Amino acid sequence: MLSAEKNSRPQNKEELFNLRHAQTRNVIERIFGIVKKRWIILTRPPQYSMAIQARIPCALGALHNFILSHDSTDLDNFSDEDIDLNPGQHCDSVGTLADDAISREERSRAADNRDQIAQEMWNQYQQYIQ
Amino acid sequence: MNVVALAAALYTSSWYWKQDYHTSALTGQQWVNELIHGHPDRIYSELGMRVHVFLALVANLRMYGMNDSKGILLEEQAAIFLYACVTGLSVRHIGERFQRSNETISKSKLLFVIKSCSNLIYRYFRRVLDALSSPAFYNANVKLPDADSVVHNFIRSNPKLYPFFSGAIGAIDGTHFQSSCSAEERHAARDRKGGLTQNCLAACSWDLCFLYIMAGWEGSVADATMFSNARYTDLRIPHGKYYIADAGFALGDALLTPYRGVRYHLAEWARAGSQRFDILLFKL
């Protein structure tokens, strides 16, 4: 029992960072889940031309915002379980082709920044679990 | 007389083809009126929004220059579009709901009537789609954060996230929408799982509003490619701010990504300790 509990808590600053990161990023999966639940056309192939199909996401995204701005109770119709079931690629092991658009200097700076955030989070977490 | 023979006899009789094709008690406009004045849940179920939102939308469309057409009010045009999106049905099935004609139809005219009804549905679907994807409506509703926008309350009010993520202005990711396409388009549209999809990049804030959307990508394109392109075109990210993105994106000044090779997805934490989802999200 104890080891299972231990396993479910972050063991180091990278794991803690990733957990907080996932908690913060979850919102984008929820919004995709909501629009796909409200508008089935997004999950069923419509028979319109590709040119038309390409405009549907923008139109419905704008319409989603419009609905929320006029109806503060609208989100009550969706649960936290309505998350995106067909997201983009989600893989740790994606190659480094994606990194080529970023300069080595920027990458290094961003990595240092991430480490600093992770360390500060970990310091706070250590106090919390004591 | 067996069933097949009966059906054949019916099909060839002139009486069969003289039946009115559209004979339901309700025309499209009457149905829309029923939704507007009926039980509030009904319009939400059929059109995806409450009646006051629907009426505000129609008023907005008028403001952006859309009008009633000969024989079809703007309310009905909007309802055609919304019903098509909510149900995902074919134009023919939508035509069934928004029937327009009570003429008696002969066999030779039937295909013509079905086709012209479908054409009408298609025309109004396109008209409303054009209005909602036009810069006027889109820019009024989907806005990028300003350089001087304050830290979102979702982060500000959570000591586990603040001040650590104080530079975050939203979350960003790609998603796939189902699409259908011609044979030539089919190859590029296959995503990594082999389905036919359209890839879309979007960013949102923690009040579940879109900040940015870029659609129309082939299903096989990578998230990082869409993001690079967006950055070069219209995705402006203020200096010192960033979006939260997953490991499919490249770490940089504008995107904060997780550590690779370290457990990440909330499901992984759940498997380790059988945590409930809400505990993972908020209490751990």
Side-chain angles (χ1 to χ4, degrees), chain B residues 15 27 43 49 54 93 129 131 133 171 182 187 207 234 237 244-245 248 251:
Chain B
W15 166 85
T27 64
I43 188 170
M49 60 184 67
F54 176 72
H93 281 101
L129 175 68
S133 53
S182 63
H187 179 71
D207 23 68
D234 57 355
I237 301 173
I244 304 282
L251 179 69

Short mmCIF file of all heavy atoms in Angstrom, two decimals, chain B residues 15 27 43 49 54 93 129 131 133 171 182 187 207 234 237 244-245 248 251:
data_model
loop_
_atom_site.label_atom_id
_atom_site.label_comp_id
_atom_site.label_asym_id
_atom_site.label_seq_id
_atom_site.Cartn_x
_atom_site.Cartn_y
_atom_site.Cartn_z
N TRP B 15 -50.73 6.32 -58.65
CA TRP B 15 -51.20 6.87 -57.37
C TRP B 15 -50.04 7.16 -56.44
O TRP B 15 -49.98 8.19 -55.75
CB TRP B 15 -52.19 5.88 -56.73
CG TRP B 15 -52.48 6.18 -55.29
CD1 TRP B 15 -53.41 7.04 -54.80
CD2 TRP B 15 -51.82 5.61 -54.14
NE1 TRP B 15 -53.39 7.05 -53.43
CE2 TRP B 15 -52.42 6.18 -53.00
CE3 TRP B 15 -50.80 4.68 -53.97
CZ2 TRP B 15 -52.02 5.86 -51.70
CZ3 TRP B 15 -50.41 4.36 -52.67
CH2 TRP B 15 -51.02 4.95 -51.57
N THR B 27 -43.65 23.27 -41.69
CA THR B 27 -42.59 23.74 -42.56
C THR B 27 -41.41 24.10 -41.68
O THR B 27 -41.54 24.18 -40.46
CB THR B 27 -43.01 24.99 -43.34
OG1 THR B 27 -43.24 26.03 -42.37
CG2 THR B 27 -44.24 24.75 -44.17
N ILE B 43 -34.71 23.70 -27.87
CA ILE B 43 -33.87 24.44 -28.81
C ILE B 43 -32.40 24.15 -28.51
O ILE B 43 -31.58 24.06 -29.42
CB ILE B 43 -34.17 25.96 -28.79
CG1 ILE B 43 -33.41 26.66 -29.93
CG2 ILE B 43 -33.85 26.60 -27.45
CD1 ILE B 43 -33.82 28.11 -30.15
N MET B 49 -27.85 25.76 -28.56
CA MET B 49 -27.76 26.99 -27.76
C MET B 49 -29.15 27.36 -27.23
O MET B 49 -30.16 26.94 -27.77
CB MET B 49 -27.19 28.14 -28.59
CG MET B 49 -27.99 28.50 -29.83
SD MET B 49 -27.19 29.79 -30.83
CE MET B 49 -25.74 28.93 -31.40
N PHE B 54 -29.59 32.20 -29.38
CA PHE B 54 -29.97 32.06 -30.78
C PHE B 54 -30.46 33.41 -31.33
O PHE B 54 -30.06 33.83 -32.42
CB PHE B 54 -31.06 31.00 -30.93
CG PHE B 54 -31.60 30.85 -32.32
CD1 PHE B 54 -30.83 30.26 -33.32
CD2 PHE B 54 -32.87 31.30 -32.65
CE1 PHE B 54 -31.33 30.12 -34.61
CE2 PHE B 54 -33.37 31.17 -33.94
CZ PHE B 54 -32.60 30.57 -34.92
N HIS B 93 -31.02 14.88 -45.48
CA HIS B 93 -31.75 14.71 -44.23
C HIS B 93 -32.14 16.04 -43.63
O HIS B 93 -33.18 16.16 -43.00
CB HIS B 93 -30.91 13.91 -43.23
CG HIS B 93 -30.93 12.44 -43.49
ND1 HIS B 93 -29.90 11.79 -44.11
CD2 HIS B 93 -31.87 11.51 -43.22
CE1 HIS B 93 -30.21 10.50 -44.21
NE2 HIS B 93 -31.39 10.31 -43.68
N LEU B 129 -22.12 29.93 -42.80
CA LEU B 129 -20.72 29.59 -42.54
C LEU B 129 -19.80 30.76 -42.94
O LEU B 129 -18.88 31.11 -42.20
CB LEU B 129 -20.33 28.34 -43.33
CG LEU B 129 -18.85 27.93 -43.24
CD1 LEU B 129 -18.51 27.46 -41.83
CD2 LEU B 129 -18.50 26.84 -44.25
N ALA B 131 -20.54 33.89 -43.03
CA ALA B 131 -20.70 35.00 -42.07
C ALA B 131 -19.95 34.74 -40.78
O ALA B 131 -19.29 35.62 -40.23
CB ALA B 131 -22.19 35.22 -41.79
N SER B 133 -17.36 32.73 -40.28
CA SER B 133 -15.92 32.65 -40.44
C SER B 133 -15.35 33.94 -41.03
O SER B 133 -14.15 34.06 -41.23
CB SER B 133 -15.52 31.44 -41.30
OG SER B 133 -16.21 31.43 -42.52
N ALA B 171 -3.29 27.57 -23.00
CA ALA B 171 -2.80 26.26 -23.41
C ALA B 171 -3.00 26.13 -24.91
O ALA B 171 -3.92 26.72 -25.49
CB ALA B 171 -3.56 25.15 -22.68
N SER B 182 -11.65 13.98 -51.74
CA SER B 182 -11.47 13.26 -53.00
C SER B 182 -10.25 12.35 -52.90
O SER B 182 -9.43 12.47 -52.00
CB SER B 182 -11.25 14.26 -54.13
OG SER B 182 -10.05 14.97 -53.89
N HIS B 187 -4.53 11.08 -49.75
CA HIS B 187 -3.21 10.66 -49.28
C HIS B 187 -2.66 11.62 -48.23
O HIS B 187 -2.20 11.22 -47.18
CB HIS B 187 -2.24 10.55 -50.46
CG HIS B 187 -0.86 10.14 -50.00
ND1 HIS B 187 -0.57 8.88 -49.56
CD2 HIS B 187 0.28 10.85 -49.88
CE1 HIS B 187 0.71 8.83 -49.21
NE2 HIS B 187 1.25 10.00 -49.39
N ASP B 207 -10.78 30.15 -19.04
CA ASP B 207 -12.25 30.21 -19.00
C ASP B 207 -12.85 29.50 -20.21
O ASP B 207 -14.01 29.69 -20.54
CB ASP B 207 -12.80 31.64 -18.86
CG ASP B 207 -11.87 32.69 -19.32
OD1 ASP B 207 -11.62 32.78 -20.53
OD2 ASP B 207 -11.39 33.47 -18.49
N ASP B 234 0.11 34.73 -38.08
CA ASP B 234 -0.68 35.65 -37.26
C ASP B 234 -0.75 35.32 -35.77
O ASP B 234 -1.50 35.95 -35.04
CB ASP B 234 -2.10 35.71 -37.83
CG ASP B 234 -2.75 34.33 -37.89
OD1 ASP B 234 -2.07 33.33 -37.58
OD2 ASP B 234 -3.93 34.25 -38.26
N ILE B 237 2.71 36.34 -29.96
CA ILE B 237 2.84 36.00 -28.54
C ILE B 237 3.68 37.09 -27.89
O ILE B 237 4.83 37.29 -28.28
CB ILE B 237 3.49 34.62 -28.38
CG1 ILE B 237 2.62 33.57 -29.09
CG2 ILE B 237 3.65 34.25 -26.91
CD1 ILE B 237 3.23 32.19 -29.15
N ILE B 244 1.25 26.94 -22.66
CA ILE B 244 1.55 25.61 -22.14
C ILE B 244 1.25 24.62 -23.26
O ILE B 244 0.13 24.58 -23.78
CB ILE B 244 0.66 25.30 -20.91
CG1 ILE B 244 0.82 26.36 -19.84
CG2 ILE B 244 0.95 23.91 -20.39
CD1 ILE B 244 2.07 26.25 -19.01
N ALA B 245 2.24 23.81 -23.63
CA ALA B 245 2.07 22.89 -24.76
C ALA B 245 2.66 21.53 -24.41
O ALA B 245 3.53 21.44 -23.53
CB ALA B 245 2.78 23.45 -26.00
N GLY B 248 4.87 17.28 -27.99
CA GLY B 248 4.91 17.28 -29.45
C GLY B 248 5.41 18.59 -30.03
O GLY B 248 5.72 18.70 -31.21
N LEU B 251 10.33 23.15 -27.16
CA LEU B 251 10.52 24.08 -26.04
C LEU B 251 11.16 25.36 -26.56
O LEU B 251 12.12 25.33 -27.32
CB LEU B 251 11.42 23.43 -24.99
CG LEU B 251 11.75 24.27 -23.76
CD1 LEU B 251 10.52 24.46 -22.89
CD2 LEU B 251 12.87 23.62 -22.94
#
